[in-house]
Amino acid sequence: MSFLINLTLSILVPILVVIKGSLTLDGAIVAGVTGFFHLSVGISPAVFIMAFFLTSSILTKVGMNKKRKLEEKYVEESKRSSIQVLCNSLLATISCIMLLLTDAPNGTSACFGLSSFQVFLYGIIPGFYSCTNGDTWSSEVGILSKTHPFHIITFKQVPAGTNGGVSSLGLISGFCGSLLIGLIGGLVFLMNCPFDITLFILTSSSITISGVIGNLLDSILGGTLQYSGWDEKRKCVVRKSGDNVTRISGVDVLSNSAINFITSSMSGIICGCLFLYIRYIY
């Protein structure tokens, strides 16, 4: 019965998201497969990925007209493709598959009554989404800041939409995005374990901190390994050099999706290690 429920949800939810215009068709297919594996492990991984996709889809639509004017590819990227979905879920999905292969019981991760490897895998999942959620909140809300962002490497003012550009609004939004996943993780643990406020604080903090670290790394990599230029004719930030384009920062080495995957994966690994430490001290 649970298999049929998981399969049904994995099909229906992406279809609804496609109808709302937040996913491309290929993105919906990948999201469906990803969602199925998350649901198969248990409710907690599914809650993390749903919190990320729902909030990011909502925030993507906020201030769309202004974002369209500021950033060249905003309209194109407002619908998540299969590559974007994959980069924003791959390591967490692999962790879910590994948990299934190692027969990890549902719901017991909170009490750390599993093997060290399973605890590590359970830590990767919220840590991964803490970074992806924080990065999305930071990008989608930060670009709407009324003050000019500054470059995280040079500390000079840059146009909104510049890779590596950060603002107070963006930093606060990113922290809140990571904090949301952290609080969800802490609540999930409380639901599965005897009440322990210390455990709640430790797990929530670990998830949030790993996400914040990943977000900062995302800005650093974006500011150095992604090209940003100002198109004088169209009056917007572009990601390729060309006529009428003045370089702002960075070199064209990594795509935005690649950076998201790298930083989210590192965030997940950091959180997995922190979960192992919590298991050790408990």
Side-chain angles (χ1 to χ4, degrees), residues 77-150:
E77 295 183 350
S78 62
K79 286 187 176 183
R80 296 180 182 274
S81 66
S82 57
I83 296 297
Q84 289 174 304
V85 173
L86 199 60
C87 288
N88 284 305
S89 62
L90 182 58
L91 184 61
T93 303
I94 292 173
S95 298
C96 289
I97 294 172
M98 293 301 295
L99 285 168
L100 291 172
L101 292 176
T102 56
D103 295 322
N106 291 346
T108 59
S109 61
C111 300
F112 299 99
L114 306 172
S115 69
S116 296
F117 182 59
Q118 289 170 332
V119 170
F120 178 68
L121 293 173
Y122 266 115
I124 286 177
I125 299 169
F128 186 94
Y129 289 116
S130 176
C131 180
T132 56
N133 204 52
D135 176 58
T136 301
W137 283 37
S138 177
S139 300
E140 297 296 344
V141 178
I143 195 173
L144 300 175
S145 175
K146 294 182 179 180
T147 60
H148 281 291
F150 64 90

Side-chain angles (χ1 to χ4, degrees), residues 23-35:
L23 286 176
T24 61
L25 181 58
D26 60 321
I29 294 172
V30 174
V33 174
T34 297

Side-chain angles (χ1 to χ4, degrees), residues 143-279:
I143 195 173
L144 300 175
S145 175
K146 294 182 179 180
T147 60
H148 281 291
F150 64 90
H151 199 274
I152 196 168
I153 301 296
T154 64
F155 296 103
K156 294 180 179 179
Q157 283 193 345
V158 291
T162 300
N163 292 312
V166 296
S167 64
S168 298
L169 179 61
L171 291 172
I172 293 171
S173 300
F175 173 78
C176 290
S178 295
L179 179 62
L180 174 65
I181 303 299
L183 292 175
I184 291 174
L187 290 173
V188 167
F189 275 38
L190 287 182
M191 291 170 60
N192 288 284
C193 295
F195 182 81
D196 189 330
I197 190 63
T198 303
L199 183 60
F200 171 80
I201 293 173
L202 286 173
T203 53
S204 297
S205 299
S206 297
I207 296 168
T208 303
I209 290 171
S210 61
V212 170
I213 293 173
N215 290 332
L216 291 175
L217 180 60
D218 184 281
S219 295
I220 293 171
L221 291 180
T224 54
L225 300 180
Q226 281 186 286
Y227 179 88
S228 291
W230 179 257
D231 191 315
E232 293 291 346
K233 186 175 181 180
R234 289 182 287 175
K235 301 298 181 183
C236 67
V237 174
V238 296
R239 299 180 185 176
K240 297 288 184 181
S241 59
D243 296 335
N244 303 312
V245 175
T246 302
R247 178 181 175 275
I248 300 172
S249 64
V251 291
D252 190 13
V253 176
L254 295 175
S255 67
N256 193 55
S257 293
I259 288 180
N260 287 343
F261 173 71
I262 292 170
T263 55
S264 297
S265 297
M266 292 189 68
S267 176
I269 292 170
I270 290 171
C271 192
C273 292
L274 290 174
F275 270 38
L276 284 176
Y277 176 72
I278 296 173
R279 180 178 188 267

Side-chain angles (χ1 to χ4, degrees), residues 11 21 49 57 61 63 74 105 111 134 151 196 218:
I11 294 173
I49 192 172
S57 296
K61 304 299 181 183
Y74 176 75
C111 300
H151 199 274
D196 189 330
D218 184 281

